[in-house]
Amino acid sequence: MLIAQPQAMTFDATLPLQSGASIRGYTLAYETYGRLNADKSNAVLICHALNASHHVAGVYEGQPKSEGWWDNMIGPGKPVDTDKFFVIGVNNLGSCFGSTGPMHVNPDTGKVYGADFPVVTVEDWVNAQARLLDVMGIQTLAAVMGGSLGGMQALSWTLQYPGRVRHAVVVASAPNLNAENIAFNEVARRAIVTDPDFHGGHFYEHGVIPKRGLRIARMIGHITYLSDDVMNEKFGRELRSAVAGTVREAYQYSTQDIEFQIESYLRYQGDKFSEYFDANTYLLITRALDYFDPARRHDGDLTRALAAARCKFLLVSFSTDWRFSPKRSREIVKALLDNRRELSYAEIDAPHGHDAFLLDDARYMKLVRSYFQGIERELVS
Amino acid sequence: MSDRLTLETIASLVPQGARVLDLGCGDGALLAHLQATRGCSGYGIEIADDNVLACVQRGVNVIQLNLDEGLALFEDQSFDVVLQIDTLQHLRNAETVLRETARVGRMGIVAFPNFAHWPNRLSVLGGRMPVTRRLPYQWYDTPNIRVGTHADLEVLAQRNGLQILDSFGLHNGRLRRFLPNLLASTAVLKFSR
């Protein structure tokens, strides 16, 4: 079993942000797996999505259930093989898993950032990741890889640092959010912001956590991660039984008690999430999603936006993903084709909706494995 | 139609260094051959998961797509050659995809089984659908949902205003220019818009 060692690096130099603001004296939490080879050519950067972190693979010493969020994909002998590649996971700025975020002290004021943490974008995250690689002495990545929001960072890498990326693996992602995606984000944000415990984002000093808002935000998120079919198959209209393992047939005729299994599931997910996630982080990360739109600087023309990319691409989408549907991935494919970039694109027929990118699907796993074997052959030759 | 000689004969129709789109590229063998021996570049299109995987394993660019949904991903005349090798007979929208082939490629090359090849004619004359090396399926389980002849393919191309650059047969991997509609198991058409 791969044992993960969390690390942290603090940067004194100011990082200018897309908004015009900047951040200084910040820390990035990260983990690495495998060995960097002599010419530093086998590095793979993994970018995380909304609620994940730098803990991508392996477990922590003495905590057998602490698997990284992409442990099925990354590790010794896995599709992204840490016996061959040096894999790096970085926690993004504004997150709540170790890198500098809204719960930390702003060195300029001596007070906790709270709502004053600067708005960060996908581009800002990529810049911060690049600085970490600079310190590690890694000039060029063998690959940058991510799913969902992580896929957006991978795509952005190919545009911001085209000379530093040889391959990009973009899974279940999109070239920007559509109105429906933004709408879901906004409902989640309103749930948090209108929680009386939010205190305008400065809840830390009140010693409270806006858990109600976080729970609802997570419940909404979960609905968008699953497909209609999977939700019906898993829960259907089944009623929740007070005694585990037994089936309840009769309605309670209650408007507020948990009646259906799906309600129980969503509440459980919401409760769990509100215990560990930060409310300001949720706002920041959903905003970063909203703002990502590389075509915006090119009059909405994605083909022109992606002209900067130089690397080879593997894009993967999942048939039942309605959050970032295959159609959205095909927009990226088309823009890359227009620019005559080398790419492969697979549309995996999987029932699990957006969540599929984190799950074991033999076709998906084999595909990524084969693609990375190709990258490895390039390294050797 | 995956034997080596046929593959090499088809490859010889593709100019050196051409940018190629291979519709229904299978396991990517033809594209890999074109890349290795003729300095070509390009992409394969496949619908089947196992073929997409095989292409990635070979290092051939592949895009998973249902051809019956058209070629909207590709701009007009954006490829030197668009190949449709043993693909047309599987398509519901065969005519549309033929037109799309000519739109996307400066040159199109279509190859498909010629139902008018003499053994097939004999079989039908005897009252039974043919089952041959080239058409190995029984009528009730064939994936070939379009059954046509070399002559039919020419008529379809002309009806769509395509310019036929060359038309010949292939049999056991070799060109057949004499009476191809009778003497060749495969019909080949080279055309442009």
Side-chain angles (χ1 to χ4, degrees), chain A residues 314 330-331 333-334 336-338 340-349 363 366-367 370-371 377, chain B residues 19 43 49 52-53 56-65 69 72-75 77-79 106:
Chain A
L314 173 66
R330 284 199 292 263
E331 289 173 35
V333 169
K334 165 126 186 43
L336 291 171
L337 285 170
D338 289 346
R340 304 191 161 203
R341 294 295 167 256
E342 291 215 44
L343 72 102
S344 283
Y345 168 62
E347 220 166 277
I348 308 282
D349 187 17
R363 292 158 298 176
K366 277 189 204 164
L367 189 79
S370 300
Y371 193 77
R377 281 195 296 273
Chain B
R19 189 174 139 82
Y43 313 86
D49 292 330
V52 170
L53 179 63
V56 170
Q57 282 167 341
R58 277 180 196 275
V60 165
N61 294 325
V62 62
I63 295 164
Q64 192 162 27
L65 201 67
E69 289 168 11
L73 280 177
F74 303 96
E75 294 293 321
Q77 307 289 289
S78 53
F79 288 85
R106 279 185 275 279

Short mmCIF file of all heavy atoms in Angstrom, two decimals, chain A residues 314 330-331 333-334 336-338 340-349 363 366-367 370-371 377, chain B residues 19 43 49 52-53 56-65 69 72-75 77-79 106:
data_model
loop_
_atom_site.label_atom_id
_atom_site.label_comp_id
_atom_site.label_asym_id
_atom_site.label_seq_id
_atom_site.Cartn_x
_atom_site.Cartn_y
_atom_site.Cartn_z
N LEU A 314 -5.82 13.70 -24.27
CA LEU A 314 -6.82 12.64 -24.15
C LEU A 314 -8.01 13.26 -23.45
O LEU A 314 -7.89 13.81 -22.35
CB LEU A 314 -6.30 11.45 -23.33
CG LEU A 314 -7.36 10.38 -23.04
CD1 LEU A 314 -7.81 9.68 -24.32
CD2 LEU A 314 -6.85 9.34 -22.04
N ARG A 330 -17.11 17.53 -26.46
CA ARG A 330 -16.96 17.60 -27.93
C ARG A 330 -16.67 19.02 -28.40
O ARG A 330 -16.03 19.22 -29.44
CB ARG A 330 -18.20 17.03 -28.62
CG ARG A 330 -18.25 15.51 -28.58
CD ARG A 330 -19.20 14.95 -29.64
NE ARG A 330 -20.58 15.26 -29.36
CZ ARG A 330 -21.45 14.44 -28.75
NH1 ARG A 330 -21.08 13.24 -28.41
NH2 ARG A 330 -22.67 14.82 -28.51
N GLU A 331 -17.11 20.03 -27.63
CA GLU A 331 -16.75 21.42 -28.00
C GLU A 331 -15.23 21.60 -27.91
O GLU A 331 -14.63 22.25 -28.77
CB GLU A 331 -17.43 22.41 -27.05
CG GLU A 331 -18.93 22.53 -27.25
CD GLU A 331 -19.58 23.41 -26.17
OE1 GLU A 331 -18.96 24.39 -25.74
OE2 GLU A 331 -20.72 23.09 -25.78
N VAL A 333 -13.05 19.14 -28.15
CA VAL A 333 -12.50 18.31 -29.23
C VAL A 333 -12.53 19.09 -30.54
O VAL A 333 -11.53 19.15 -31.26
CB VAL A 333 -13.30 16.99 -29.37
CG1 VAL A 333 -12.91 16.24 -30.64
CG2 VAL A 333 -13.07 16.10 -28.15
N LYS A 334 -13.67 19.72 -30.83
CA LYS A 334 -13.80 20.45 -32.10
C LYS A 334 -12.77 21.58 -32.19
O LYS A 334 -12.11 21.75 -33.22
CB LYS A 334 -15.21 21.01 -32.23
CG LYS A 334 -15.39 22.06 -33.31
CD LYS A 334 -16.49 21.71 -34.27
CE LYS A 334 -16.62 22.65 -35.46
NZ LYS A 334 -15.39 23.07 -36.11
N LEU A 336 -9.94 21.82 -30.71
CA LEU A 336 -8.59 21.27 -30.88
C LEU A 336 -8.39 20.75 -32.30
O LEU A 336 -7.32 20.92 -32.89
CB LEU A 336 -8.34 20.15 -29.86
CG LEU A 336 -8.23 20.60 -28.40
CD1 LEU A 336 -8.21 19.41 -27.46
CD2 LEU A 336 -6.96 21.45 -28.20
N LEU A 337 -9.44 20.12 -32.85
CA LEU A 337 -9.35 19.65 -34.24
C LEU A 337 -9.15 20.83 -35.19
O LEU A 337 -8.34 20.76 -36.12
CB LEU A 337 -10.62 18.90 -34.62
CG LEU A 337 -10.78 17.49 -34.05
CD1 LEU A 337 -12.20 16.97 -34.30
CD2 LEU A 337 -9.76 16.55 -34.65
N ASP A 338 -9.89 21.90 -34.95
CA ASP A 338 -9.75 23.09 -35.80
C ASP A 338 -8.30 23.58 -35.78
O ASP A 338 -7.83 24.14 -36.76
CB ASP A 338 -10.67 24.20 -35.31
CG ASP A 338 -12.14 23.89 -35.59
OD1 ASP A 338 -12.41 22.96 -36.38
OD2 ASP A 338 -13.01 24.59 -35.02
N ARG A 340 -5.79 21.59 -35.36
CA ARG A 340 -4.96 20.47 -35.81
C ARG A 340 -4.07 19.92 -34.70
O ARG A 340 -2.92 19.53 -34.95
CB ARG A 340 -4.11 20.88 -37.02
CG ARG A 340 -4.98 21.40 -38.13
CD ARG A 340 -4.23 21.57 -39.42
NE ARG A 340 -5.18 21.62 -40.53
CZ ARG A 340 -4.89 21.33 -41.78
NH1 ARG A 340 -3.68 20.94 -42.08
NH2 ARG A 340 -5.79 21.41 -42.72
N ARG A 341 -4.59 19.89 -33.49
CA ARG A 341 -3.84 19.33 -32.38
C ARG A 341 -4.04 17.82 -32.35
O ARG A 341 -5.07 17.30 -32.76
CB ARG A 341 -4.32 19.94 -31.06
CG ARG A 341 -4.01 21.41 -30.93
CD ARG A 341 -2.52 21.69 -30.88
NE ARG A 341 -2.26 23.12 -31.07
CZ ARG A 341 -1.79 23.65 -32.20
NH1 ARG A 341 -1.49 22.88 -33.23
NH2 ARG A 341 -1.60 24.94 -32.31
N GLU A 342 -3.07 17.13 -31.80
CA GLU A 342 -3.19 15.68 -31.65
C GLU A 342 -4.06 15.35 -30.46
O GLU A 342 -3.84 15.88 -29.36
CB GLU A 342 -1.80 15.07 -31.45
CG GLU A 342 -0.97 15.18 -32.71
CD GLU A 342 -0.06 13.97 -32.86
OE1 GLU A 342 -0.53 12.84 -32.64
OE2 GLU A 342 1.11 14.18 -33.20
N LEU A 343 -5.05 14.51 -30.66
CA LEU A 343 -5.94 14.18 -29.55
C LEU A 343 -6.64 12.86 -29.79
O LEU A 343 -6.81 12.42 -30.93
CB LEU A 343 -7.00 15.27 -29.36
CG LEU A 343 -8.10 15.36 -30.41
CD1 LEU A 343 -9.38 14.73 -29.89
CD2 LEU A 343 -8.36 16.79 -30.80
N SER A 344 -7.03 12.25 -28.68
CA SER A 344 -7.97 11.14 -28.71
C SER A 344 -9.11 11.50 -27.78
O SER A 344 -8.92 12.21 -26.79
CB SER A 344 -7.31 9.83 -28.28
OG SER A 344 -6.52 9.33 -29.34
N TYR A 345 -10.29 11.01 -28.16
CA TYR A 345 -11.48 11.32 -27.37
C TYR A 345 -12.33 10.08 -27.22
O TYR A 345 -12.64 9.42 -28.21
CB TYR A 345 -12.30 12.42 -28.06
CG TYR A 345 -13.68 12.61 -27.48
CD1 TYR A 345 -13.83 13.00 -26.15
CD2 TYR A 345 -14.82 12.39 -28.23
CE1 TYR A 345 -15.10 13.16 -25.60
CE2 TYR A 345 -16.09 12.54 -27.69
CZ TYR A 345 -16.22 12.93 -26.37
OH TYR A 345 -17.46 13.08 -25.82
N ALA A 346 -12.67 9.76 -25.98
CA ALA A 346 -13.54 8.60 -25.74
C ALA A 346 -14.79 9.03 -24.99
O ALA A 346 -14.72 9.87 -24.08
CB ALA A 346 -12.80 7.54 -24.93
N GLU A 347 -15.89 8.46 -25.40
CA GLU A 347 -17.16 8.73 -24.73
C GLU A 347 -17.58 7.42 -24.08
O GLU A 347 -18.00 6.50 -24.77
CB GLU A 347 -18.18 9.15 -25.81
CG GLU A 347 -19.09 10.25 -25.38
CD GLU A 347 -19.82 10.84 -26.58
OE1 GLU A 347 -19.24 11.71 -27.27
OE2 GLU A 347 -20.95 10.42 -26.83
N ILE A 348 -17.41 7.33 -22.77
CA ILE A 348 -17.66 6.07 -22.07
C ILE A 348 -19.15 5.97 -21.75
O ILE A 348 -19.71 6.87 -21.12
CB ILE A 348 -16.84 5.99 -20.76
CG1 ILE A 348 -15.36 6.27 -21.02
CG2 ILE A 348 -17.06 4.65 -20.07
CD1 ILE A 348 -14.56 5.16 -21.61
N ASP A 349 -19.75 4.87 -22.16
CA ASP A 349 -21.17 4.66 -21.91
C ASP A 349 -21.33 4.09 -20.49
O ASP A 349 -21.32 2.88 -20.30
CB ASP A 349 -21.73 3.69 -22.96
CG ASP A 349 -23.23 3.57 -22.84
OD1 ASP A 349 -23.85 4.43 -22.20
OD2 ASP A 349 -23.79 2.61 -23.40
N ARG A 363 -13.44 0.04 -19.03
CA ARG A 363 -13.05 0.68 -20.29
C ARG A 363 -12.27 1.96 -20.03
O ARG A 363 -11.26 2.26 -20.66
CB ARG A 363 -14.30 0.99 -21.12
CG ARG A 363 -15.00 -0.22 -21.64
CD ARG A 363 -16.43 0.09 -21.96
NE ARG A 363 -17.15 0.50 -20.76
CZ ARG A 363 -18.42 0.91 -20.73
NH1 ARG A 363 -19.10 1.00 -21.84
NH2 ARG A 363 -19.00 1.26 -19.60
N LYS A 366 -8.77 1.16 -18.51
CA LYS A 366 -7.86 0.62 -19.54
C LYS A 366 -7.40 1.71 -20.49
O LYS A 366 -6.25 1.74 -20.94
CB LYS A 366 -8.58 -0.47 -20.35
CG LYS A 366 -8.56 -1.83 -19.71
CD LYS A 366 -9.12 -2.83 -20.72
CE LYS A 366 -9.67 -4.05 -20.03
NZ LYS A 366 -10.54 -4.83 -20.91
N LEU A 367 -8.33 2.59 -20.82
CA LEU A 367 -8.02 3.67 -21.75
C LEU A 367 -6.94 4.59 -21.17
O LEU A 367 -5.95 4.89 -21.83
CB LEU A 367 -9.31 4.46 -22.02
CG LEU A 367 -9.23 5.49 -23.11
CD1 LEU A 367 -9.32 4.80 -24.46
CD2 LEU A 367 -10.36 6.50 -22.98
N SER A 370 -3.63 2.77 -21.03
CA SER A 370 -2.98 2.68 -22.35
C SER A 370 -2.39 4.02 -22.76
O SER A 370 -1.30 4.08 -23.34
CB SER A 370 -3.98 2.23 -23.41
OG SER A 370 -4.49 0.97 -23.08
N TYR A 371 -3.11 5.08 -22.46
CA TYR A 371 -2.61 6.40 -22.84
C TYR A 371 -1.30 6.71 -22.09
O TYR A 371 -0.33 7.18 -22.69
CB TYR A 371 -3.66 7.47 -22.56
CG TYR A 371 -3.32 8.79 -23.21
CD1 TYR A 371 -3.52 8.99 -24.58
CD2 TYR A 371 -2.77 9.84 -22.48
CE1 TYR A 371 -3.18 10.18 -25.19
CE2 TYR A 371 -2.43 11.04 -23.08
CZ TYR A 371 -2.64 11.20 -24.44
OH TYR A 371 -2.29 12.38 -25.04
N ARG A 377 6.33 5.31 -23.14
CA ARG A 377 7.17 4.92 -24.28
C ARG A 377 7.92 6.13 -24.83
O ARG A 377 9.09 6.03 -25.21
CB ARG A 377 6.32 4.28 -25.39
CG ARG A 377 5.94 2.83 -25.11
CD ARG A 377 5.44 2.15 -26.38
NE ARG A 377 4.20 2.72 -26.88
CZ ARG A 377 2.97 2.35 -26.47
NH1 ARG A 377 2.84 1.40 -25.56
NH2 ARG A 377 1.91 2.90 -26.97
N ARG B 19 -2.86 14.41 -44.65
CA ARG B 19 -3.63 14.49 -43.41
C ARG B 19 -4.90 13.69 -43.64
O ARG B 19 -5.70 14.02 -44.52
CB ARG B 19 -3.92 15.96 -43.15
CG ARG B 19 -4.51 16.28 -41.81
CD ARG B 19 -4.58 17.80 -41.67
NE ARG B 19 -5.82 18.20 -41.05
CZ ARG B 19 -6.03 18.18 -39.74
NH1 ARG B 19 -5.07 17.79 -38.94
NH2 ARG B 19 -7.19 18.56 -39.23
N TYR B 43 -6.58 11.29 -37.81
CA TYR B 43 -7.41 10.72 -36.75
C TYR B 43 -8.26 9.60 -37.31
O TYR B 43 -8.65 9.63 -38.47
CB TYR B 43 -8.37 11.78 -36.20
CG TYR B 43 -7.75 13.11 -35.89
CD1 TYR B 43 -7.62 14.08 -36.88
CD2 TYR B 43 -7.28 13.40 -34.61
CE1 TYR B 43 -7.04 15.31 -36.61
CE2 TYR B 43 -6.70 14.62 -34.33
CZ TYR B 43 -6.58 15.59 -35.33
OH TYR B 43 -6.01 16.79 -35.06
N ASP B 49 -16.00 0.62 -28.30
CA ASP B 49 -15.06 0.84 -27.19
C ASP B 49 -13.74 0.08 -27.39
O ASP B 49 -12.67 0.63 -27.16
CB ASP B 49 -15.67 0.37 -25.86
CG ASP B 49 -16.85 1.23 -25.42
OD1 ASP B 49 -16.86 2.43 -25.76
OD2 ASP B 49 -17.75 0.69 -24.75
N VAL B 52 -11.59 1.75 -29.95
CA VAL B 52 -11.02 3.01 -29.44
C VAL B 52 -9.80 2.70 -28.58
O VAL B 52 -8.74 3.31 -28.73
CB VAL B 52 -12.09 3.80 -28.62
CG1 VAL B 52 -11.45 4.97 -27.88
CG2 VAL B 52 -13.21 4.29 -29.54
N LEU B 53 -9.94 1.70 -27.72
CA LEU B 53 -8.82 1.29 -26.86
C LEU B 53 -7.64 0.80 -27.70
O LEU B 53 -6.49 1.18 -27.45
CB LEU B 53 -9.29 0.19 -25.90
CG LEU B 53 -8.24 -0.36 -24.95
CD1 LEU B 53 -7.75 0.73 -24.00
CD2 LEU B 53 -8.79 -1.54 -24.16
N VAL B 56 -5.73 3.69 -29.13
CA VAL B 56 -4.91 4.37 -28.12
C VAL B 56 -3.67 3.52 -27.82
O VAL B 56 -2.56 4.04 -27.68
CB VAL B 56 -5.74 4.68 -26.85
CG1 VAL B 56 -4.85 5.16 -25.71
CG2 VAL B 56 -6.81 5.73 -27.16
N GLN B 57 -3.86 2.21 -27.76
CA GLN B 57 -2.71 1.32 -27.50
C GLN B 57 -1.67 1.41 -28.61
O GLN B 57 -0.47 1.29 -28.36
CB GLN B 57 -3.20 -0.12 -27.34
CG GLN B 57 -3.81 -0.36 -25.96
CD GLN B 57 -4.58 -1.66 -25.85
OE1 GLN B 57 -4.97 -2.25 -26.85
NE2 GLN B 57 -4.83 -2.09 -24.63
N ARG B 58 -2.15 1.63 -29.84
CA ARG B 58 -1.23 1.74 -30.98
C ARG B 58 -0.60 3.12 -31.11
O ARG B 58 0.26 3.34 -31.96
CB ARG B 58 -1.99 1.52 -32.28
CG ARG B 58 -2.22 0.12 -32.68
CD ARG B 58 -2.99 0.16 -33.99
NE ARG B 58 -3.60 -1.13 -34.28
CZ ARG B 58 -2.97 -2.12 -34.90
NH1 ARG B 58 -1.74 -1.97 -35.31
NH2 ARG B 58 -3.57 -3.26 -35.11
N GLY B 59 -1.15 4.08 -30.34
CA GLY B 59 -0.69 5.45 -30.50
C GLY B 59 -1.31 6.14 -31.71
O GLY B 59 -0.73 7.07 -32.27
N VAL B 60 -2.50 5.69 -32.08
CA VAL B 60 -3.22 6.34 -33.18
C VAL B 60 -4.29 7.26 -32.57
O VAL B 60 -5.02 6.85 -31.66
CB VAL B 60 -3.89 5.26 -34.07
CG1 VAL B 60 -4.94 5.87 -34.98
CG2 VAL B 60 -2.84 4.52 -34.88
N ASN B 61 -4.35 8.49 -33.04
CA ASN B 61 -5.39 9.41 -32.56
C ASN B 61 -6.75 8.88 -32.95
O ASN B 61 -6.98 8.58 -34.13
CB ASN B 61 -5.22 10.79 -33.21
CG ASN B 61 -3.96 11.49 -32.78
OD1 ASN B 61 -3.52 11.36 -31.64
ND2 ASN B 61 -3.36 12.24 -33.70
N VAL B 62 -7.66 8.82 -31.98
CA VAL B 62 -8.98 8.29 -32.29
C VAL B 62 -10.04 9.14 -31.60
O VAL B 62 -9.83 9.65 -30.50
CB VAL B 62 -9.10 6.80 -31.87
CG1 VAL B 62 -8.92 6.63 -30.37
CG2 VAL B 62 -10.41 6.20 -32.34
N ILE B 63 -11.16 9.30 -32.29
CA ILE B 63 -12.26 10.07 -31.73
C ILE B 63 -13.49 9.18 -31.73
O ILE B 63 -13.87 8.65 -32.78
CB ILE B 63 -12.50 11.35 -32.56
CG1 ILE B 63 -11.28 12.25 -32.44
CG2 ILE B 63 -13.76 12.08 -32.10
CD1 ILE B 63 -11.21 13.33 -33.47
N GLN B 64 -14.06 8.99 -30.54
CA GLN B 64 -15.21 8.10 -30.44
C GLN B 64 -16.47 8.87 -30.83
O GLN B 64 -16.83 9.86 -30.20
CB GLN B 64 -15.35 7.53 -29.02
CG GLN B 64 -16.35 6.40 -28.96
CD GLN B 64 -16.20 5.55 -27.72
OE1 GLN B 64 -15.73 6.03 -26.69
NE2 GLN B 64 -16.59 4.30 -27.81
N LEU B 65 -17.11 8.37 -31.88
CA LEU B 65 -18.21 9.12 -32.48
C LEU B 65 -19.09 8.15 -33.24
O LEU B 65 -18.60 7.19 -33.82
CB LEU B 65 -17.57 10.11 -33.46
CG LEU B 65 -18.33 11.33 -33.89
CD1 LEU B 65 -18.51 12.26 -32.72
CD2 LEU B 65 -17.54 12.06 -34.99
N GLU B 69 -24.35 10.23 -36.86
CA GLU B 69 -24.69 11.58 -36.39
C GLU B 69 -23.98 12.65 -37.22
O GLU B 69 -24.09 13.84 -36.94
CB GLU B 69 -24.35 11.73 -34.91
CG GLU B 69 -25.30 10.94 -34.02
CD GLU B 69 -24.84 10.81 -32.58
OE1 GLU B 69 -23.89 11.50 -32.19
OE2 GLU B 69 -25.44 9.99 -31.87
N ALA B 72 -20.07 16.82 -37.94
CA ALA B 72 -20.14 18.23 -37.57
C ALA B 72 -18.85 18.72 -36.89
O ALA B 72 -18.58 19.92 -36.88
CB ALA B 72 -21.34 18.48 -36.67
N LEU B 73 -18.07 17.81 -36.33
CA LEU B 73 -16.83 18.21 -35.66
C LEU B 73 -15.78 18.72 -36.66
O LEU B 73 -14.81 19.35 -36.26
CB LEU B 73 -16.23 17.01 -34.92
CG LEU B 73 -16.79 16.62 -33.57
CD1 LEU B 73 -16.09 15.36 -33.07
CD2 LEU B 73 -16.62 17.74 -32.56
N PHE B 74 -15.99 18.40 -37.94
CA PHE B 74 -14.92 18.65 -38.90
C PHE B 74 -15.32 19.73 -39.91
O PHE B 74 -16.42 19.72 -40.44
CB PHE B 74 -14.55 17.35 -39.63
CG PHE B 74 -14.14 16.26 -38.68
CD1 PHE B 74 -15.05 15.32 -38.24
CD2 PHE B 74 -12.85 16.22 -38.17
CE1 PHE B 74 -14.68 14.33 -37.35
CE2 PHE B 74 -12.48 15.24 -37.27
CZ PHE B 74 -13.39 14.30 -36.85
N GLU B 75 -14.38 20.62 -40.15
CA GLU B 75 -14.61 21.72 -41.08
C GLU B 75 -14.49 21.24 -42.53
O GLU B 75 -13.88 20.21 -42.81
CB GLU B 75 -13.57 22.83 -40.83
CG GLU B 75 -13.71 23.51 -39.48
CD GLU B 75 -14.99 24.33 -39.35
OE1 GLU B 75 -15.39 24.98 -40.33
OE2 GLU B 75 -15.60 24.29 -38.25
N GLN B 77 -13.27 20.57 -46.12
CA GLN B 77 -11.97 20.37 -46.78
C GLN B 77 -10.79 20.46 -45.81
O GLN B 77 -9.74 20.98 -46.14
CB GLN B 77 -11.80 21.43 -47.90
CG GLN B 77 -12.96 21.46 -48.89
CD GLN B 77 -12.99 20.24 -49.79
OE1 GLN B 77 -12.16 20.08 -50.66
NE2 GLN B 77 -13.96 19.36 -49.56
N SER B 78 -11.02 19.97 -44.58
CA SER B 78 -9.96 20.08 -43.58
C SER B 78 -9.00 18.88 -43.58
O SER B 78 -8.03 18.86 -42.83
CB SER B 78 -10.56 20.28 -42.18
OG SER B 78 -11.51 19.28 -41.89
N PHE B 79 -9.27 17.89 -44.44
CA PHE B 79 -8.35 16.75 -44.57
C PHE B 79 -8.00 16.54 -46.04
O PHE B 79 -8.79 16.82 -46.93
CB PHE B 79 -9.00 15.47 -44.01
CG PHE B 79 -9.08 15.49 -42.51
CD1 PHE B 79 -10.16 16.10 -41.88
CD2 PHE B 79 -8.07 14.94 -41.74
CE1 PHE B 79 -10.22 16.15 -40.49
CE2 PHE B 79 -8.13 14.99 -40.36
CZ PHE B 79 -9.21 15.59 -39.73
N ARG B 106 -10.55 16.64 -49.17
CA ARG B 106 -10.29 17.05 -50.56
C ARG B 106 -10.43 15.84 -51.48
O ARG B 106 -10.75 15.98 -52.65
CB ARG B 106 -8.91 17.69 -50.68
CG ARG B 106 -8.92 19.14 -50.23
CD ARG B 106 -7.58 19.80 -50.46
NE ARG B 106 -6.69 19.54 -49.35
CZ ARG B 106 -6.73 20.23 -48.20
NH1 ARG B 106 -7.59 21.22 -48.04
NH2 ARG B 106 -5.91 19.93 -47.23
#
